[in-house]
Amino acid sequence: MRVLNGLQSSGTLHIGNYFGAIKPMMELQDDNDMFMFIANYHALTSLKDAQALKANTLDAAVTFLSLGLDPDKSTFWAQSDVKEVLELYWILSAYTPMGLLERAHSYKDKIAKGIVPNHALFSYPVLMAADILLYDSQIVPVGKDQIQHVEMTRDIAIKFNNEHGDIFVIPEYKVDENVATVPGIDGAKMSKSYGNDIGIFLDEKPLQKICNKIVTDSTPLGEPLDHTKCNVYALASLFLDDNGKEELAQRYASGKEGYGHFKKYLKELIWDHFAEAREKRAYYLEHIDEVRDILHEGAKKARKVASAKMEVVRDAVGII
């Protein structure tokens, strides 16, 4: 199956990105045709600092490779290295009803949280549709908040196909229900845009500091804690198997430990989980030209697929 995923380079990647997209992608790359890109065009909706965007794009590449992405198994590139996606974005815009975009939950949520609206943010689902349809993607792993965008992609593709024939593959979304939405330190969805994220590669002291900021209730030390309503438990459970989750739940119920103990435990879980990845990251940061070469080779592979698809699309709509 052709599986596609992309993550924005608008900031340092966090554990919500890891469990929501990166880890599932790594698990799929052995048995599927994996296409993975760094969505730096998408990042322009929230990041206007040129130097930061360049640095973030390379940092995202280093992060993916450190966490296990294998460029020999997956096609891996930066979105901006395949310009055909912008051409398809414009063509698909002509097949996208305004009402469809106006119903986008993600756009409404971002505006409600104070993000300044612009056309790129509004038309984000159309560029996402171009990302997906350009490569004949069959499966798109997403979090629950992105399901609607894949459904919008399907609507756009069906509308186009109804007019021009079966040109686009109609994609399906894949959601891991166990990690569909990873909570941030305030309990809302973890997001760089909301400033409530926990970075994957924070140093140990800053990591403990951000874990200490996780919002909890006021239950005093010595009383049982309700793990089902605790953001610390929700985050820690991502790193645990069923037995580990049960043991942690019993610790909550015992009343012998307070939230401070569990925040320290969460820090240790995160630190230990990414120990090997930190070593790989140090290597890639010392060999950044190797990272650029990997992206370049991935773009060549992606561009070959994109170019063939655009020949068919141009002919269908009459672009010569």
Side-chain angles (χ1 to χ4, degrees), residues 115-151:
I115 295 177
V116 178
N118 57 51
H119 176 264
L121 188 63
F122 182 70
S123 63
Y124 177 106
V126 186
L127 182 56
M128 182 171 169
D131 292 323
I132 295 169
L133 300 176
L134 185 59
Y135 302 104
D136 289 331
S137 310
Q138 296 166 285
I139 301 294
V140 183
V142 294
K144 279 187 176 180
D145 62 309
Q146 289 287 318
I147 289 176
Q148 187 190 38
H149 283 166
V150 180
E151 292 175 336

mmCIF file of all heavy atoms in Angstrom, residues 115-151:
data_model
loop_
_atom_site.group_PDB
_atom_site.id
_atom_site.type_symbol
_atom_site.label_atom_id
_atom_site.label_comp_id
_atom_site.label_asym_id
_atom_site.label_seq_id
_atom_site.Cartn_x
_atom_site.Cartn_y
_atom_site.Cartn_z
ATOM 1 N N ILE A 115 -4.850 32.712 16.472
ATOM 2 C CA ILE A 115 -3.962 32.733 15.312
ATOM 3 C C ILE A 115 -4.565 33.647 14.251
ATOM 4 O O ILE A 115 -5.752 33.548 13.925
ATOM 5 C CB ILE A 115 -3.757 31.314 14.759
ATOM 6 C CG1 ILE A 115 -3.020 30.463 15.809
ATOM 7 C CG2 ILE A 115 -2.971 31.337 13.455
ATOM 8 C CD1 ILE A 115 -2.824 29.021 15.413
ATOM 9 N N VAL A 116 -3.752 34.547 13.715
ATOM 10 C CA VAL A 116 -4.249 35.526 12.738
ATOM 11 C C VAL A 116 -4.618 34.801 11.441
ATOM 12 O O VAL A 116 -3.789 34.093 10.863
ATOM 13 C CB VAL A 116 -3.181 36.600 12.459
ATOM 14 C CG1 VAL A 116 -3.680 37.582 11.409
ATOM 15 C CG2 VAL A 116 -2.819 37.334 13.755
ATOM 16 N N PRO A 117 -5.852 34.978 10.955
ATOM 17 C CA PRO A 117 -6.275 34.276 9.739
ATOM 18 C C PRO A 117 -5.599 34.831 8.491
ATOM 19 O O PRO A 117 -5.333 36.018 8.397
ATOM 20 C CB PRO A 117 -7.791 34.521 9.704
ATOM 21 C CG PRO A 117 -7.997 35.790 10.455
ATOM 22 C CD PRO A 117 -6.941 35.789 11.536
ATOM 23 N N ASN A 118 -5.300 33.954 7.559
ATOM 24 C CA ASN A 118 -4.806 34.361 6.251
ATOM 25 C C ASN A 118 -5.253 33.329 5.221
ATOM 26 O O ASN A 118 -5.786 32.270 5.583
ATOM 27 C CB ASN A 118 -3.272 34.530 6.251
ATOM 28 C CG ASN A 118 -2.537 33.276 6.695
ATOM 29 O OD1 ASN A 118 -2.775 32.183 6.200
ATOM 30 N ND2 ASN A 118 -1.635 33.436 7.669
ATOM 31 N N HIS A 119 -5.030 33.637 3.956
ATOM 32 C CA HIS A 119 -5.519 32.744 2.909
ATOM 33 C C HIS A 119 -4.852 31.374 2.978
ATOM 34 O O HIS A 119 -5.495 30.341 2.754
ATOM 35 C CB HIS A 119 -5.284 33.355 1.524
ATOM 36 C CG HIS A 119 -5.672 32.438 0.401
ATOM 37 N ND1 HIS A 119 -4.761 31.623 -0.244
ATOM 38 C CD2 HIS A 119 -6.874 32.176 -0.163
ATOM 39 C CE1 HIS A 119 -5.390 30.910 -1.161
ATOM 40 N NE2 HIS A 119 -6.665 31.227 -1.135
ATOM 41 N N ALA A 120 -3.557 31.342 3.280
ATOM 42 C CA ALA A 120 -2.858 30.059 3.346
ATOM 43 C C ALA A 120 -3.459 29.159 4.420
ATOM 44 O O ALA A 120 -3.650 27.957 4.203
ATOM 45 C CB ALA A 120 -1.370 30.288 3.610
ATOM 46 N N LEU A 121 -3.776 29.738 5.560
ATOM 47 C CA LEU A 121 -4.390 28.963 6.634
ATOM 48 C C LEU A 121 -5.770 28.468 6.217
ATOM 49 O O LEU A 121 -6.142 27.325 6.482
ATOM 50 C CB LEU A 121 -4.494 29.826 7.898
ATOM 51 C CG LEU A 121 -4.934 29.112 9.174
ATOM 52 C CD1 LEU A 121 -3.924 28.043 9.577
ATOM 53 C CD2 LEU A 121 -5.114 30.126 10.315
ATOM 54 N N PHE A 122 -6.519 29.331 5.532
ATOM 55 C CA PHE A 122 -7.870 28.979 5.088
ATOM 56 C C PHE A 122 -7.844 27.865 4.043
ATOM 57 O O PHE A 122 -8.669 26.948 4.065
ATOM 58 C CB PHE A 122 -8.562 30.221 4.531
ATOM 59 C CG PHE A 122 -9.981 29.990 4.091
ATOM 60 C CD1 PHE A 122 -10.983 29.743 5.012
ATOM 61 C CD2 PHE A 122 -10.322 30.026 2.749
ATOM 62 C CE1 PHE A 122 -12.298 29.525 4.619
ATOM 63 C CE2 PHE A 122 -11.630 29.812 2.337
ATOM 64 C CZ PHE A 122 -12.626 29.564 3.276
ATOM 65 N N SER A 123 -6.878 27.949 3.123
ATOM 66 C CA SER A 123 -6.829 26.981 2.017
ATOM 67 C C SER A 123 -5.905 25.804 2.309
ATOM 68 O O SER A 123 -5.631 24.991 1.419
ATOM 69 C CB SER A 123 -6.396 27.672 0.722
ATOM 70 O OG SER A 123 -5.089 28.193 0.839
ATOM 71 N N TYR A 124 -5.440 25.711 3.531
ATOM 72 C CA TYR A 124 -4.571 24.612 3.962
ATOM 73 C C TYR A 124 -5.100 23.241 3.512
ATOM 74 O O TYR A 124 -4.319 22.404 3.022
ATOM 75 C CB TYR A 124 -4.450 24.680 5.487
ATOM 76 C CG TYR A 124 -3.649 23.605 6.176
ATOM 77 C CD1 TYR A 124 -2.380 23.878 6.679
ATOM 78 C CD2 TYR A 124 -4.154 22.316 6.369
ATOM 79 C CE1 TYR A 124 -1.641 22.898 7.342
ATOM 80 C CE2 TYR A 124 -3.424 21.340 7.017
ATOM 81 C CZ TYR A 124 -2.170 21.636 7.493
ATOM 82 O OH TYR A 124 -1.444 20.667 8.137
ATOM 83 N N PRO A 125 -6.411 22.958 3.636
ATOM 84 C CA PRO A 125 -6.891 21.630 3.233
ATOM 85 C C PRO A 125 -6.686 21.334 1.750
ATOM 86 O O PRO A 125 -6.571 20.159 1.370
ATOM 87 C CB PRO A 125 -8.387 21.680 3.582
ATOM 88 C CG PRO A 125 -8.498 22.709 4.655
ATOM 89 C CD PRO A 125 -7.491 23.754 4.280
ATOM 90 N N VAL A 126 -6.649 22.369 0.912
ATOM 91 C CA VAL A 126 -6.454 22.131 -0.519
ATOM 92 C C VAL A 126 -5.013 21.728 -0.798
ATOM 93 O O VAL A 126 -4.746 20.828 -1.606
ATOM 94 C CB VAL A 126 -6.836 23.371 -1.352
ATOM 95 C CG1 VAL A 126 -6.777 23.046 -2.846
ATOM 96 C CG2 VAL A 126 -8.225 23.870 -0.984
ATOM 97 N N LEU A 127 -4.063 22.383 -0.138
ATOM 98 C CA LEU A 127 -2.667 21.981 -0.290
ATOM 99 C C LEU A 127 -2.457 20.587 0.282
ATOM 100 O O LEU A 127 -1.712 19.782 -0.286
ATOM 101 C CB LEU A 127 -1.741 22.996 0.396
ATOM 102 C CG LEU A 127 -0.237 22.720 0.275
ATOM 103 C CD1 LEU A 127 0.185 22.591 -1.181
ATOM 104 C CD2 LEU A 127 0.567 23.827 0.965
ATOM 105 N N MET A 128 -3.117 20.283 1.380
ATOM 106 C CA MET A 128 -3.020 18.931 1.937
ATOM 107 C C MET A 128 -3.592 17.917 0.955
ATOM 108 O O MET A 128 -3.043 16.816 0.787
ATOM 109 C CB MET A 128 -3.755 18.853 3.272
ATOM 110 C CG MET A 128 -3.652 17.490 3.948
ATOM 111 S SD MET A 128 -4.303 17.537 5.650
ATOM 112 C CE MET A 128 -4.348 15.787 6.019
ATOM 113 N N ALA A 129 -4.677 18.273 0.284
ATOM 114 C CA ALA A 129 -5.253 17.389 -0.734
ATOM 115 C C ALA A 129 -4.254 17.158 -1.864
ATOM 116 O O ALA A 129 -4.101 16.034 -2.359
ATOM 117 C CB ALA A 129 -6.552 17.982 -1.274
ATOM 118 N N ALA A 130 -3.562 18.220 -2.268
ATOM 119 C CA ALA A 130 -2.550 18.085 -3.322
ATOM 120 C C ALA A 130 -1.421 17.165 -2.870
ATOM 121 O O ALA A 130 -0.936 16.329 -3.640
ATOM 122 C CB ALA A 130 -2.013 19.465 -3.705
ATOM 123 N N ASP A 131 -0.987 17.315 -1.621
ATOM 124 C CA ASP A 131 0.046 16.441 -1.072
ATOM 125 C C ASP A 131 -0.353 14.972 -1.208
ATOM 126 O O ASP A 131 0.457 14.116 -1.581
ATOM 127 C CB ASP A 131 0.270 16.728 0.418
ATOM 128 C CG ASP A 131 0.899 18.081 0.688
ATOM 129 O OD1 ASP A 131 1.765 18.501 -0.089
ATOM 130 O OD2 ASP A 131 0.514 18.704 1.695
ATOM 131 N N ILE A 132 -1.588 14.683 -0.888
ATOM 132 C CA ILE A 132 -2.071 13.305 -0.849
ATOM 133 C C ILE A 132 -2.314 12.756 -2.246
ATOM 134 O O ILE A 132 -1.875 11.655 -2.590
ATOM 135 C CB ILE A 132 -3.362 13.226 -0.006
ATOM 136 C CG1 ILE A 132 -3.069 13.583 1.449
ATOM 137 C CG2 ILE A 132 -3.995 11.835 -0.107
ATOM 138 C CD1 ILE A 132 -4.318 13.799 2.303
ATOM 139 N N LEU A 133 -3.003 13.532 -3.072
ATOM 140 C CA LEU A 133 -3.443 13.037 -4.378
ATOM 141 C C LEU A 133 -2.315 12.980 -5.398
ATOM 142 O O LEU A 133 -2.352 12.164 -6.323
ATOM 143 C CB LEU A 133 -4.578 13.915 -4.904
ATOM 144 C CG LEU A 133 -5.829 13.969 -4.017
ATOM 145 C CD1 LEU A 133 -6.853 14.940 -4.596
ATOM 146 C CD2 LEU A 133 -6.444 12.586 -3.855
ATOM 147 N N LEU A 134 -1.311 13.817 -5.240
ATOM 148 C CA LEU A 134 -0.204 13.873 -6.193
ATOM 149 C C LEU A 134 0.550 12.554 -6.269
ATOM 150 O O LEU A 134 1.110 12.198 -7.315
ATOM 151 C CB LEU A 134 0.755 14.999 -5.785
ATOM 152 C CG LEU A 134 1.928 15.319 -6.718
ATOM 153 C CD1 LEU A 134 1.433 15.721 -8.107
ATOM 154 C CD2 LEU A 134 2.782 16.425 -6.128
ATOM 155 N N TYR A 135 0.553 11.801 -5.163
ATOM 156 C CA TYR A 135 1.368 10.584 -5.089
ATOM 157 C C TYR A 135 0.529 9.307 -5.060
ATOM 158 O O TYR A 135 1.034 8.242 -4.687
ATOM 159 C CB TYR A 135 2.267 10.664 -3.852
ATOM 160 C CG TYR A 135 3.165 11.875 -3.866
ATOM 161 C CD1 TYR A 135 2.888 12.977 -3.056
ATOM 162 C CD2 TYR A 135 4.266 11.951 -4.716
ATOM 163 C CE1 TYR A 135 3.694 14.105 -3.086
ATOM 164 C CE2 TYR A 135 5.072 13.077 -4.753
ATOM 165 C CZ TYR A 135 4.780 14.149 -3.933
ATOM 166 O OH TYR A 135 5.579 15.275 -3.974
ATOM 167 N N ASP A 136 -0.747 9.401 -5.462
ATOM 168 C CA ASP A 136 -1.632 8.233 -5.471
ATOM 169 C C ASP A 136 -1.644 7.535 -4.111
ATOM 170 O O ASP A 136 -1.604 6.301 -4.008
ATOM 171 C CB ASP A 136 -1.217 7.233 -6.555
ATOM 172 C CG ASP A 136 -1.503 7.739 -7.960
ATOM 173 O OD1 ASP A 136 -2.459 8.526 -8.123
ATOM 174 O OD2 ASP A 136 -0.772 7.357 -8.899
ATOM 175 N N SER A 137 -1.708 8.340 -3.060
ATOM 176 C CA SER A 137 -1.677 7.796 -1.700
ATOM 177 C C SER A 137 -2.948 7.011 -1.411
ATOM 178 O O SER A 137 -4.054 7.480 -1.684
ATOM 179 C CB SER A 137 -1.531 8.939 -0.692
ATOM 180 O OG SER A 137 -0.477 9.803 -1.054
ATOM 181 N N GLN A 138 -2.782 5.840 -0.836
ATOM 182 C CA GLN A 138 -3.936 5.004 -0.485
ATOM 183 C C GLN A 138 -4.306 5.130 0.987
ATOM 184 O O GLN A 138 -5.477 5.100 1.341
ATOM 185 C CB GLN A 138 -3.626 3.544 -0.831
ATOM 186 C CG GLN A 138 -3.430 3.300 -2.317
ATOM 187 C CD GLN A 138 -2.794 1.950 -2.595
ATOM 188 O OE1 GLN A 138 -1.600 1.763 -2.387
ATOM 189 N NE2 GLN A 138 -3.595 0.995 -3.047
ATOM 190 N N ILE A 139 -3.275 5.261 1.845
ATOM 191 C CA ILE A 139 -3.485 5.350 3.291
ATOM 192 C C ILE A 139 -2.798 6.599 3.812
ATOM 193 O O ILE A 139 -1.639 6.873 3.476
ATOM 194 C CB ILE A 139 -2.923 4.120 4.027
ATOM 195 C CG1 ILE A 139 -3.588 2.829 3.515
ATOM 196 C CG2 ILE A 139 -3.104 4.260 5.528
ATOM 197 C CD1 ILE A 139 -5.071 2.732 3.830
ATOM 198 N N VAL A 140 -3.516 7.360 4.668
ATOM 199 C CA VAL A 140 -2.953 8.568 5.272
ATOM 200 C C VAL A 140 -3.135 8.454 6.791
ATOM 201 O O VAL A 140 -4.240 8.642 7.299
ATOM 202 C CB VAL A 140 -3.637 9.844 4.755
ATOM 203 C CG1 VAL A 140 -2.973 11.085 5.353
ATOM 204 C CG2 VAL A 140 -3.603 9.902 3.239
ATOM 205 N N PRO A 141 -2.069 8.130 7.533
ATOM 206 C CA PRO A 141 -2.183 8.078 8.996
ATOM 207 C C PRO A 141 -2.356 9.495 9.564
ATOM 208 O O PRO A 141 -1.586 10.398 9.233
ATOM 209 C CB PRO A 141 -0.838 7.481 9.439
ATOM 210 C CG PRO A 141 -0.248 6.871 8.212
ATOM 211 C CD PRO A 141 -0.739 7.714 7.078
ATOM 212 N N VAL A 142 -3.367 9.698 10.394
ATOM 213 C CA VAL A 142 -3.637 11.026 10.958
ATOM 214 C C VAL A 142 -4.130 10.888 12.389
ATOM 215 O O VAL A 142 -4.556 9.820 12.825
ATOM 216 C CB VAL A 142 -4.696 11.805 10.137
ATOM 217 C CG1 VAL A 142 -4.184 12.146 8.753
ATOM 218 C CG2 VAL A 142 -6.008 11.027 10.057
ATOM 219 N N GLY A 143 -4.094 12.017 13.110
ATOM 220 C CA GLY A 143 -4.781 12.113 14.387
ATOM 221 C C GLY A 143 -6.245 12.450 14.138
ATOM 222 O O GLY A 143 -6.631 12.809 13.017
ATOM 223 N N LYS A 144 -7.060 12.349 15.175
ATOM 224 C CA LYS A 144 -8.489 12.595 15.004
ATOM 225 C C LYS A 144 -8.783 13.984 14.446
ATOM 226 O O LYS A 144 -9.734 14.176 13.689
ATOM 227 C CB LYS A 144 -9.224 12.415 16.341
ATOM 228 C CG LYS A 144 -9.522 10.969 16.692
ATOM 229 C CD LYS A 144 -10.388 10.873 17.933
ATOM 230 C CE LYS A 144 -10.769 9.443 18.219
ATOM 231 N NZ LYS A 144 -11.619 9.313 19.436
ATOM 232 N N ASP A 145 -7.946 14.960 14.823
ATOM 233 C CA ASP A 145 -8.197 16.328 14.390
ATOM 234 C C ASP A 145 -7.963 16.523 12.897
ATOM 235 O O ASP A 145 -8.378 17.533 12.325
ATOM 236 C CB ASP A 145 -7.319 17.298 15.178
ATOM 237 C CG ASP A 145 -5.838 17.043 14.948
ATOM 238 O OD1 ASP A 145 -5.416 15.882 15.094
ATOM 239 O OD2 ASP A 145 -5.110 17.997 14.625
ATOM 240 N N GLN A 146 -7.293 15.562 12.243
ATOM 241 C CA GLN A 146 -7.009 15.684 10.814
ATOM 242 C C GLN A 146 -7.918 14.809 9.953
ATOM 243 O O GLN A 146 -7.812 14.834 8.723
ATOM 244 C CB GLN A 146 -5.548 15.313 10.546
ATOM 245 C CG GLN A 146 -4.540 16.336 11.052
ATOM 246 C CD GLN A 146 -4.522 17.600 10.214
ATOM 247 O OE1 GLN A 146 -4.579 17.550 8.986
ATOM 248 N NE2 GLN A 146 -4.460 18.752 10.870
ATOM 249 N N ILE A 147 -8.802 14.055 10.572
ATOM 250 C CA ILE A 147 -9.700 13.192 9.804
ATOM 251 C C ILE A 147 -10.512 14.012 8.800
ATOM 252 O O ILE A 147 -10.670 13.627 7.627
ATOM 253 C CB ILE A 147 -10.646 12.413 10.738
ATOM 254 C CG1 ILE A 147 -9.872 11.343 11.499
ATOM 255 C CG2 ILE A 147 -11.782 11.761 9.936
ATOM 256 C CD1 ILE A 147 -10.703 10.590 12.528
ATOM 257 N N GLN A 148 -11.022 15.149 9.255
ATOM 258 C CA GLN A 148 -11.849 15.966 8.364
ATOM 259 C C GLN A 148 -11.075 16.390 7.122
ATOM 260 O O GLN A 148 -11.629 16.445 6.017
ATOM 261 C CB GLN A 148 -12.376 17.210 9.091
ATOM 262 C CG GLN A 148 -13.384 17.999 8.245
ATOM 263 C CD GLN A 148 -13.722 19.351 8.838
ATOM 264 O OE1 GLN A 148 -12.865 20.028 9.393
ATOM 265 N NE2 GLN A 148 -14.977 19.757 8.727
ATOM 266 N N HIS A 149 -9.783 16.698 7.274
ATOM 267 C CA HIS A 149 -8.981 17.113 6.119
ATOM 268 C C HIS A 149 -8.862 15.996 5.094
ATOM 269 O O HIS A 149 -8.890 16.249 3.884
ATOM 270 C CB HIS A 149 -7.601 17.568 6.567
ATOM 271 C CG HIS A 149 -7.593 18.933 7.177
ATOM 272 N ND1 HIS A 149 -6.531 19.418 7.891
ATOM 273 C CD2 HIS A 149 -8.520 19.914 7.183
ATOM 274 C CE1 HIS A 149 -6.799 20.649 8.310
ATOM 275 N NE2 HIS A 149 -8.002 20.961 7.901
ATOM 276 N N VAL A 150 -8.711 14.759 5.548
ATOM 277 C CA VAL A 150 -8.652 13.634 4.610
ATOM 278 C C VAL A 150 -10.014 13.448 3.949
ATOM 279 O O VAL A 150 -10.101 13.163 2.737
ATOM 280 C CB VAL A 150 -8.195 12.348 5.307
ATOM 281 C CG1 VAL A 150 -8.142 11.190 4.308
ATOM 282 C CG2 VAL A 150 -6.828 12.541 5.951
ATOM 283 N N GLU A 151 -11.084 13.640 4.710
ATOM 284 C CA GLU A 151 -12.424 13.553 4.123
ATOM 285 C C GLU A 151 -12.628 14.644 3.078
ATOM 286 O O GLU A 151 -13.265 14.414 2.029
ATOM 287 C CB GLU A 151 -13.478 13.655 5.225
ATOM 288 C CG GLU A 151 -13.494 12.446 6.147
ATOM 289 C CD GLU A 151 -14.466 12.606 7.312
ATOM 290 O OE1 GLU A 151 -14.769 13.775 7.673
ATOM 291 O OE2 GLU A 151 -14.899 11.578 7.862
#
